Each structure stands twice: as C-alpha cells, then as structure tokens.
Amino acid sequence: MVKIREFAVEQWMNTYENDAKYNLAETCCASISLNDLMSFSGQQTSIIDYTQKQVYGAIRGSTALRSNIAKLYATESSGHLSPGNVLVTNGAIQANFLALYTSVGPGDHVICHYPTYQQLYSVPEACGAEVDLWRSKEDAGWQLDLQELRSLIKPNTKLIIINNPQNPTGAVLSRDILQGIVDIARQHSIMIHSDEVYRPLFHSVDTDQQEHSPSILSLGYDNVVVTGSMSKAFSLAGIRLGWIVSRSSATIEACAATRDYTVISVGQLDDRVATLALSTPTVHNLLERNIQLARQNLAALDTFIEEFEWAIEWTRPQAGTTAFIKFVNREGKLIDDVIFCQQLQKQTGVMLVPGSLCFGDGVDFKGYVRIGYVQEPQVLVDGLQGLREFMRNGYEQLPVATA
C-alpha cells in the first residue's frame, strides 16, 4: 500500500469544527439522545441491559441488527436478503475502507463518481489502483453520462464506485442511470461499490421518483457492494456503526477476513442501540422526523439563496443533508472559496466547507462551498443569519479564485 493522501475534508473539519459557533458543515441529521430514541420506539424498558457481560459480542453484528439492516434494502423486486448478506462495521468509513481495500490492488483500474467523498477514490489509489474520475454534470442536475462510463472502461477495470445520494450535491441518480450502470458492469464483469450512506433520506423528490431511485442492490446484479451507516439519515453518529451489504457471500467473507486486521467488532451497546433504531416502528418515526426536518430547513435555505441570487448558483438537493453552492462576485467571477470559509468563520463563527480544497483537489470546484442543512432548526437559522451579515459586510471584499 502506497502512502495515502491527506483526507482534505476531514482535516478541515478537525481544524475548524471545535471553534465553530454555528456548524453548517455538519452532514448528519440533527442528533438524537437515547431518550429521544426510546420515544420514537414507544417502548418503556431501558435500551441498556446492565446485567450483560461486556465481551466482544457477535463479531459480524448481532442477528437482530443484521436482519434489520437487510430489511432496509428489501423490495418486492429485489428478493430476500438475510443476515448473512450483512457485515456490521465501525461506521461507513470503515465499511468503505474494508470493501475498497479488499476489492482492488496494483494493476487494477477503478472508475469513481465525482465529486464525492475523497475516501472513495483516495483509498483505491493508495491500494495501487489507477483511478479515473467519472464526472457528474452540473448542468444536468449532477447526473452521470453512461456513454462517458463506457469510454472510461479498460480491460483491467475492476470496480465502478458511485455515491447515491451524492455528497456534496444532494443529487440522486435516476433508476435509468442505475440500471445502465448495472448493465455495463455486467457486460464487463465489473464490481460496483455504492456508498448509500445518505439513503433513504429522500426529502425533495415525489413518490414516483422515489420508487425509481432504488438501492442498486435491487437491480439484479450480485457483484455489488453497498455501504451505509447510522450517522447521516439516522441521527446516531455517536454509536459509530455502519455496514456492508452484498448478495455475494464471497464478498462478505472477504471483507470479514480483512476486518480481522482492523477492528474486530462493534461494541455490544452500539449494536443494541442500532438494533432498536432500525426496528419497527422506530425506524419509520425517526426517518419521518428527519425528512420533515430536512424539508423545513431546506425552505429556510431557499429563502436565503433567493435573497442573494446575484451571488449564488446551485442545484437544489433532492436527498441527503448537503448542498453544493457556487458563490460569485458582482462581476460574475468565482470567489476564493477557501478564504471565504476562513473569513466567514473568523468574523461570524459560521463554519462551511470549501469545495475546491475538500472536493476538487485544489483544482476543481473553485467558488463552491458545501453546506449541511439538517441540523436543529435554530442552528441553521442563526447560522444563515451570520452568513447573511457577512454577505452584507465583508463578502464583496473577498478575492476571486485564481486560475
């Protein structure tokens, strides 16, 4: 394994989030407490069994938890998924790492959806693979071009990586695009890795569209790995629990074998909390709360963007918790997004993420920032007010982005 690049967005978060007054860089739905979780469940008994011995527990995750995770991907057309199709991990970040490290190595070629979470292309690079970026089209709602995918495939292409819903844009790949990816992958015997950590937080698409934006697991191709977690859509980042799901038992076994070298298991308490959160009716009540929160907060963001339409361009997100927003000056020139974020936080305490540094390797997405908008409503309202004040007093003095 070659030296891995620094993880730009995580480095930015580590540097700035502890001093932020209004963290609009947060990508999780507003967190809940265990008391909140009990309220969503309608149960009266404690989540915690104080008599349980704190051994490693079920190494791959309890059967109850893996069954509940499998149900998240069940549809009439997808067929049955069992606990054996699921491997529980320490967050989606470990799930992605394990699946990517297990899947590719020197001599392999990887195609990765872009822009996206840097881990998805930096880990394959660090494993010695050649990585080509498959760029989504902003002028097409951040959708992907299947013809471009066909042109990127090489004889040694081992893996296609997608992120759906997409971080940082909040775009959702249509059913037709997903089916096209599956058809192309099947034709060339290529594995698909789909990071679906923001699924199923669909808040701005109608019912028909939701039905046509399935998990790629449901499209009849076994050579697929899907990752997810409790952190984003389910408001429980603190339990550090994620998963790998695949119809391929060989893939699950290989990822489990790799994990023996990292973290053996998740904590029993984390497993128990996640099991309750993903049980019925808890999971439905929790998702309903978060979808309504996303819609309410996105409406507030809409109002802000309309107020400063001279400076802002965006594609309104359909799902997830993040929006990717382009800022320009009065002459239509892109502002320096890194200095923008630094000066904004220094003057107002509002934290955002610069797009060029954290999603564009310093080259792409100059002038863009990522904003997380599914916090507690007051945090967003106060944060947008701080941003509003900066737009009126300081924004027009920002330098433009360099070529």
Side-chain angles (χ1 to χ4, degrees):
M1 190 175 193
V2 300
K3 182 176 174 60
I4 196 166
R5 284 193 282 172
E6 287 191 352
F7 205 155
V9 70
E10 297 301 335
Q11 291 289 321
W12 183 271
M13 299 294 284
N14 292 341
T15 300
Y16 291 101
E17 66 182 340
N18 290 334
D19 296 324
K21 187 175 181 181
Y22 307 110
N23 185 355
L24 301 192
E26 177 58 66
T27 59
C28 301
C29 289
S31 299
I32 61 171
S33 68
L34 296 186
N35 284 339
D36 295 329
L37 184 60
M38 294 302 295
S39 176
F40 286 127
S41 74
Q43 296 184 20
Q44 301 299 318
T45 57
S46 174
I47 299 173
I48 308 303
D49 179 0
Y50 291 96
T51 67
Q52 184 181 42
K53 301 296 185 182
Q54 290 304 302
V55 298
Y56 284 113
I59 300 301
R60 299 190 181 195
S62 68
T63 299
L65 174 56
R66 289 183 292 135
S67 295
N68 285 349
I69 292 168
K71 290 175 186 176
L72 294 175
Y73 301 94
T75 66
E76 291 183 3
S77 61
S78 65
H80 178 68
L81 287 169
S82 73
N85 296 115
V86 180
L87 179 66
V88 175
T89 64
N90 292 83
I93 197 162
Q94 190 200 28
N96 283 329
F97 187 91
L98 289 175
L100 295 170
Y101 182 89
T102 302
S103 300
V104 299
D108 290 330
H109 175 243
V110 172
I111 299 168
C112 185
H113 188 180
Y114 181 80
T116 193
Y117 195 50
Q118 182 186 330
Q119 181 192 33
L120 296 179
Y121 53 88
S122 285
V123 170
E125 286 177 342
C127 292
E130 175 192 3
V131 178
D132 277 327
L133 300 177
W134 183 20
R135 298 170 184 268
S136 53
K137 312 296 182 185
E138 182 177 12
D139 58 2
W142 297 105
Q143 289 296 304
L144 292 166
D145 184 337
L146 293 175
Q147 191 57 43
E148 184 177 345
L149 174 61
R150 292 185 181 94
S151 72
L152 290 171
I153 291 173
K154 300 179 179 181
N156 62 333
T157 302
K158 183 75 174 294
L159 186 65
I160 297 168
I161 302 169
I162 60 173
N163 179 203
N164 188 38
Q166 184 185 28
N167 174 16
T169 70
V172 177
L173 296 178
S174 69
R175 185 186 187 95
D176 288 344
I177 293 293
L178 292 174
Q179 186 63 62
I181 294 170
V182 166
D183 293 343
I184 293 167
R186 180 184 281 115
Q187 180 183 355
H188 296 276
S189 299
I190 298 170
M191 176 180 280
I192 300 170
H193 177 115
S194 182
D195 179 334
E196 298 181 2
V197 73
Y198 291 98
R199 183 179 177 82
L201 198 70
F202 297 103
H203 49 70
S204 300
V205 291
D206 62 35
T207 303
D208 289 339
Q209 287 176 301
Q210 283 192 35
E211 291 176 351
H212 290 84
S213 302
S215 168
I216 203 164
L217 272 174
S218 68
L219 298 183
Y221 186 48
D222 288 347
N223 200 13
V224 168
V225 167
V226 165
T227 58
S229 89
M230 298 302 300
S231 299
K232 308 300 184 183
F234 300 105
S235 301
L236 287 166
I239 65 172
R240 306 308 306 129
L241 193 141
W243 53 82
I244 297 168
V245 185
S246 180
R247 296 187 180 280
S248 166
S249 59
T251 296
I252 293 296
E253 292 302 317
C255 290
T258 299
R259 196 185 59 175
D260 289 341
Y261 285 93
T262 58
V263 181
I264 293 175
S265 65
V266 302
Q268 287 194 77
L269 300 182
D270 299 327
D271 188 302
R272 191 176 180 92
V273 171
T275 301
L276 176 60
L278 297 181
S279 66
T280 302
T282 317
V283 65
H284 304 300
N285 293 334
L286 180 54
L287 283 173
E288 181 180 2
R289 174 257 196 185
N290 287 348
I291 287 170
Q292 291 304 319
L293 183 61
R295 288 173 176 163
Q296 174 185 344
N297 286 2
L298 195 52
L301 185 56
D302 277 330
T303 298
F304 171 83
I305 287 175
E306 289 172 6
E307 183 178 349
F308 295 97
E309 61 182 356
W310 64 267
I312 294 173
E313 298 176 27
W314 75 327
T315 298
R316 196 177 191 272
Q318 295 179 293
T321 67
T322 63
F324 210 36
I325 301 174
K326 180 164 61 177
F327 283 84
V328 299
N329 65 13
R330 294 280 185 184
E331 289 74 45
K333 295 181 180 179
L334 296 169
I335 57 91
D336 187 312
D337 50 287
V338 176
I339 293 177
F340 174 30
C341 291
Q342 290 171 334
Q343 290 299 314
L344 174 66
Q345 185 162 346
K346 181 179 180 181
Q347 293 184 31
T348 69
V350 176
M351 181 181 175
L352 298 175
V353 171
S356 65
L357 178 66
C358 296
F359 294 94
D361 291 331
V363 177
D364 298 319
F365 308 118
K366 292 184 178 183
Y368 288 77
V369 301
R370 187 188 72 180
I371 183 169
Y373 55 86
V374 195
Q375 300 95 340
E376 295 292 349
Q378 196 61 50
V379 173
L380 184 72
V381 168
D382 292 343
L384 289 179
Q385 184 57 34
L387 180 53
R388 186 175 281 111
E389 292 170 3
F390 183 81
M391 295 296 293
R392 295 168 179 159
N393 300 287
Y395 179 80
E396 295 192 57
Q397 284 71 56
L398 289 173
V400 298
T402 57

